[in-house]
Amino acid sequence: QKEVEQNSGPLSVPEGAIASLNCTYSDRGSQSFFWYRQYSGKSPELIMSIYSNGDKEDGRFTAQLNKASQYVSLLIRDSQPSDSATYLCAVNMSPGGFKTIFGAGTRLFVKA
Amino acid sequence: DTGVSQDPRHKITKRGQNVTFRCDPISEHNRLYWYRQTLGQGPEFLTYFQNEAQLEKSRLLSDRFSAERPKGSFSTLEIQRTEQGDSAMYLCASSENLRGGDRYGYTFGSGTRLTVV
């Protein structure tokens, strides 16, 4: 079992729709969770972090965490073509919590 | 502060040669990380430093890889006797040492793309 699993996609949504990206992780002791966006040929950039169960909203982005189910998701509302990228789910591994393990990423295409 | 800087941006080398990459983190960040990324995969953890101390190194890393962070500032990653399988993007990232600092995520550099021919 991989430590962080994501559907590779591609996920295709029309402009203005909600894109839903999902991630599961194996380390039940993990405390911090992140979503990074990576455009083709570029390095990852942090867009959201979450560490408490429930939802965390930042603009058009909402991260959701369910530690009991070991599940993290990212919702992108009013998707724009500029949101087309690979979205990486990342989890800080216990103990210590300073090493981040990344999933393979989900490719998102937003069609104009 | 211009963020995390990596040098060079691209490196083409012949199999068997040694290569060295440099990373300059954000100045107030005392944690520095090296990752490797191949096409279609997420970044793979290699090693990390807190100040000048190398606290963890991936079991996947062979003895041909070594990293240093003298004086807790910039870091270098050296690959000896390169192999074609070493071709990848090598990413450096840094983060702050805050209380609960593991919650703040990383700032990545632009990466060094290595091609071994």
Side-chain angles (χ1 to χ4, degrees), chain A residues 6-28:
Chain A
Q6 299 180 250
N7 288 328
S8 61
L11 173 66
S12 183
V13 300
E15 183 176 0
I18 296 175
S20 178
L21 306 164
N22 305 312
C23 170
T24 58
Y25 60 94
S26 62
D27 182 1
R28 188 169 288 278

Side-chain angles (χ1 to χ4, degrees), chain B residues 53-72:
Chain B
Q54 186 174 21
L55 297 186
E56 188 168 348
K57 182 176 178 180
S58 170
R59 293 189 303 274
L60 301 175
L61 227 55
S62 75
D63 291 340
R64 296 184 297 106
F65 288 73
S66 62
E68 294 183 338
R69 192 182 182 197
K71 302 179 183 178

Side-chain angles (χ1 to χ4, degrees), chain B residues 101-114:
Chain B
D102 61 309
R103 296 182 168 188
Y104 292 91
Y106 298 164
T107 301
F108 280 91
S110 298
T112 293
R113 181 166 296 284
L114 173 66

